[in-house]
Amino acid sequence: MRLKKNIAISDSGFLFDPSTGESFTVNETAQEILKLLKEGKDYDEIAGHITSLYDIDRAGFERYYQDFLEMLNHYHLIDHAG
Amino acid sequence: MEKRTFEPPVIKRLNAGMPSKFGMTPRIEPMPEVEGLKVSELLKEFGSPLYVLSERTLRNTYRDAYQAFSTRYPKVQLAWSYKTNYLAAVCNAFHQEGAWAEVVSGFEYHKALKNGVPPQYIIFNGPSKTYEDLLLATRNGSLIHIDHFDELYMLLEVSDEAGTKPKVAIRVNMDTGIYPRWDRFGFNYDNGEAWEAINRIMLSGKMDLAGLHTHIGTYILTPQAYRIAASKLADLAVNTERKYGHVIRYIDMGGGFASKNTLKGAYVPGTDSAPSFDDYADAITGALVNSAIKPEHLPLLILETGRALIDDAGYLLGTVIANKRLASGRRALITDVGVNLLFTSFWYEHQIVPAENSSQHTEDTTIYGPLCMNIDVLRAAIDFPLLKKGDTFVIKRIGAYNMTQWLQFIEYRPNVLMIDTDGKPHIIRKREDLDYMTRQEVLPEHLKNAGL
Ligand SMILES: Cc1ncc(COP(=O)(O)O)c(C=O)c1O
């Protein structure tokens, strides 16, 4: 699972996909996850990081993570080739 | 290090140049308390979902309405429209404020008597009164509002049997310039039918024509329609006095004032578009005062305001059961409040807010109830913060019609709570249980057991 390479994420929570010209807003949690995805981290590392920062356990997090990935997929922000 | 509060990750596409229907998305303010009591604690103690009524709001709204009319007109009487909410505690709060009762069935009539309303203060409306209903109401001296000629003729018989004259009004329908025109109830003004009904009553000598009644519709956004309706009733009163020397003692303008809820498909929220009690009062009292009715014979003005008196006092509290992502990518929230408890979601885009402080990140969401039915949609599309399973929310302005038109379907109906003016909660209708649900069932002997 990789984010499309050329996607730009600003510190203020804006995301831009140059291949489609579409922009998105993300909240703080999403921003953290996107940063880790961009760095090529896998689910285990991401879950470890988030659950150490926020008051949520792994089981709880997985559910929202999956949902988030579905949305990334829905917006064509995932690189399936990789 | 203390951990931060987790907020589910969200990503939202920006649609430049496509503002939402209401322009900017308004900030959604959470509602942690109702009448000073914490939503989370109310739900813990009384179960979820939970209806909550504010006695303070109910009484204040009544006083506002009464004041708007009584400062403009010498004789004003409100009659609580039972069908809007006939829980006894609600009815009696209004009766204590001075409201009479307005009922439309034998059941509602008996409920008003049971609540302790003196029968001469009960207005009996509706197209389906039985002979027995009419006989009782006649003997009791209640006000009977005749809906059609068949009822008028039945009342002549009732009058003979009772040996006393029924006190009556006729219900009148008319063109007031608005759509839909409710011509199904009562006698039509514009084609002369209402005048004909008055003549039959007067010539029969068997009834006391006490008043004239109309109810032009519900959720009427144009006060002007009431001005027209009041003028037409005033004309009938003037003509009756001129022809028979008989004075019409009251004019009943029915209900129909809009509440502050937003109708489905409306472009302006109800909080901005609903006329005030003052607007309606201006129109109605202006028409009566300026009519040809003699000043010494100005009739009592009766109002049967329903939804506008109670909508704001009612809240429905609920809990999120699950989050779903629909195949279309749309977010769906499944809650424990269904259309079985919120019948008015078929008409209104109800305001729903989280109980607790939540993220300001919102997403276009569909809010569903718990029923296994496609129709079970509370809001088809609402910009809503992300709530997690177990989070609670408040639906505002649900006091009218939901506690009477609710459907007993799939789930028990929950507790109904009234918070009194000292902030003390009282259960005014207990949550249903299996015993309640099966009490009226009768099992034939051969079906007494399942036999499996
Ligand atoms: C005869 C009559 N009076 C009063 C009402 C109350 O109407 P509303 O809730 O619109 O004020 C109704 C409602 O249908 C009605 O039929």
Side-chain angles (χ1 to χ4, degrees):
Chain A
M1 181 68 73
R2 291 189 81 93
L3 218 51
K4 281 206 286 198
K5 274 213 189 60
N6 49 2
I7 278 173
I9 307 166
S10 81
D11 288 342
S12 49
F14 284 97
L15 186 148
F16 181 65
D17 180 355
S19 62
T20 60
E22 283 181 332
S23 347
F24 303 84
T25 55
V26 293
N27 63 352
E28 186 191 299
T29 327
Q31 218 174 323
E32 295 267 2
I33 296 171
L34 287 166
K35 197 177 77 197
L36 299 171
L37 278 173
K38 261 206 114 149
E39 289 166 9
K41 298 277 196 301
D42 63 14
Y43 171 68
D44 244 19
E45 289 169 300
I46 294 173
H49 182 74
I50 297 289
T51 52
S52 71
L53 277 183
Y54 296 95
D55 62 345
I56 183 132
D57 59 18
R58 277 195 175 237
F61 174 66
E62 181 172 356
R63 208 192 146 319
Y64 294 106
Y65 182 72
Q66 289 305 337
D67 180 62
F68 184 58
L69 289 191
E70 269 176 56
M71 284 317 285
L72 294 182
N73 200 20
H74 183 72
Y75 290 137
H76 308 291
L77 298 171
I78 302 283
D79 190 354
H80 288 283
Chain B
M1 189 185 82
E2 190 160 337
K3 290 190 175 182
R4 287 183 256 170
T5 311
F6 177 77
E7 183 180 295
V10 250
I11 176 163
K12 199 171 157 185
R13 181 161 45 202
L14 293 171
N15 291 331
M18 271 186 59
S20 76
K21 206 165 60 169
F22 299 137
M24 288 268 291
T25 307
R27 212 185 121 87
I28 295 178
E29 291 296 337
M31 184 165 179
E33 293 182 353
V34 177
E35 286 293 300
L37 301 181
K38 277 199 80 96
V39 168
S40 53
E41 270 152 39
L42 286 173
L43 289 174
K44 216 174 288 164
E45 183 170 353
F46 300 102
S48 180
L50 179 69
Y51 289 101
V52 179
L53 286 157
S54 157
E55 186 179 344
R56 183 202 313 269
T57 306
L58 179 160
R59 288 180 184 268
N60 285 346
T61 311
Y62 181 95
R63 288 169 198 177
D64 286 349
Y66 184 78
Q67 197 189 359
F69 284 87
S70 62
T71 49
R72 291 175 168 85
Y73 193 80
K75 293 184 284 179
V76 178
Q77 178 63 52
L78 270 71
W80 176 238
S81 170
Y82 265 43
K83 72 173 90 54
T84 314
N85 189 322
Y86 41 59
L87 294 177
V90 168
C91 295
N92 280 348
F94 282 124
H95 295 323
Q96 284 179 8
E97 290 293 324
W100 293 357
E102 185 269 329
V103 304
V104 291
S105 67
F107 154 62
E108 288 189 355
Y109 185 80
H110 285 282
K111 186 130 197 206
L113 289 177
K114 192 172 172 188
N115 285 341
V117 180
Q120 69 272 26
Y121 297 149
I122 304 179
I123 294 170
F124 203 158
N125 277 319
S128 73
K129 310 170 197 89
T130 65
Y131 187 91
E132 288 67 36
D133 291 338
L134 291 174
L135 189 61
L136 179 66
T138 298
R139 288 189 166 137
N140 279 342
S142 301
L143 301 167
I144 300 168
H145 288 186
I146 306 172
D147 192 81
H148 44 72
F149 278 113
D150 283 317
E151 185 179 356
L152 196 157
Y153 290 122
M154 186 151 68
L155 258 179
L156 293 178
E157 289 172 45
V158 166
S159 173
D160 288 338
E161 182 173 345
T164 169
K165 283 186 182 181
K167 279 207 214 81
V168 302
I170 56 162
R171 170 142 175 193
V172 180
N173 70 63
M174 62 190 83
D175 180 6
T176 58
I178 53 163
Y179 182 84
R181 201 184 293 171
W182 283 30
D183 60 2
R184 188 178 131 190
F185 304 103
F187 303 91
N188 187 255
Y189 171 87
D190 306 289
N191 68 8
E193 190 187 29
W195 180 237
E196 186 187 339
I198 289 173
N199 282 307
R200 298 247 180 129
I201 290 169
M202 293 309 300
L203 294 172
S204 80
K206 289 184 178 177
M207 294 183 216
D208 171 16
L209 183 63
L212 298 170
H213 172 229
T214 189
H215 170 74
I216 59 175
T218 194
Y219 203 94
I220 307 289
L221 291 167
T222 26
Q224 182 59 18
Y226 283 97
R227 188 185 297 275
I228 296 172
S231 304
K232 289 185 173 179
L233 291 190
D235 275 353
L236 290 176
V238 167
N239 289 340
T240 306
E241 184 170 353
R242 190 179 298 142
K243 180 165 175 183
Y244 297 100
H246 177 81
V247 176
I248 295 293
R249 303 196 292 280
Y250 68 85
I251 281 186
D252 178 346
M253 294 302 299
F257 301 160
S259 76
K260 294 191 189 66
N261 264 307
T262 303
L263 280 185
K264 277 194 170 174
Y267 275 85
V268 186
T271 42
D272 296 342
S273 61
S276 65
F277 288 128
D278 286 311
D279 298 333
Y280 293 117
D282 255 349
I284 292 171
T285 62
L288 294 181
V289 169
N290 294 324
S291 74
I293 298 177
K294 292 186 186 134
E296 66 272 25
H297 290 163
L298 265 190
L300 173 71
L301 169 59
I302 298 180
L303 299 155
E304 303 168 348
T305 309
R307 70 177 75 240
L309 284 187
I310 184 110
D311 241 358
D312 278 5
Y315 302 88
L316 185 46
L317 280 41
T319 306
V320 172
I321 296 172
N323 266 287
K324 267 191 183 174
R325 181 66 67 185
L326 303 180
S328 59
R330 195 184 181 76
R331 173 168 290 277
L333 206 59
I334 319 292
T335 74
D336 62 0
V337 176
V339 292
N340 53 330
L341 304 181
L342 197 65
F343 191 84
T344 51
S345 55
F346 294 123
W347 314 330
Y348 289 145
E349 286 179 351
H350 277 292
Q351 192 184 356
I352 307 181
V353 297
E356 299 301 328
N357 234 322
S358 63
S359 140
Q360 274 309 310
H361 271 270
T362 56
E363 206 182 328
D364 192 16
T365 305
T366 302
I367 304 184
Y368 294 104
L371 309 177
C372 297
M373 295 281 287
N374 228 6
I375 55 160
D376 195 23
V377 182
L378 298 189
R379 287 295 302 267
I382 178 174
D383 226 9
F384 205 65
L386 290 163
L387 296 194
K388 300 191 292 291
K389 172 176 158 53
D391 284 350
T392 54
F393 57 89
V394 178
I395 310 177
K396 297 190 191 180
R397 295 196 187 90
I398 58 90
Y401 295 103
N402 287 306
M403 280 154 250
T404 47
Q405 283 186 293
W406 47 13
L407 309 170
Q408 196 293 299
F409 183 55
I410 299 186
E411 302 275 359
Y412 296 128
R413 280 171 286 203
N415 280 321
V416 182
L417 207 66
M418 184 183 271
I419 301 176
D420 70 20
T421 48
D422 296 324
K424 191 165 170 259
H426 305 263
I427 292 180
I428 60 166
R429 189 179 192 273
K430 285 191 276 188
R431 178 179 186 269
E432 294 170 352
D433 56 18
L434 193 60
D435 179 51
Y436 170 89
M437 295 293 302
T438 51
R439 198 174 302 155
Q440 299 299 96
E441 288 193 42
V442 183
L443 269 177
E445 198 52 46
H446 68 287
L447 296 172
K448 280 258 150 80
N449 63 61
L452 287 172

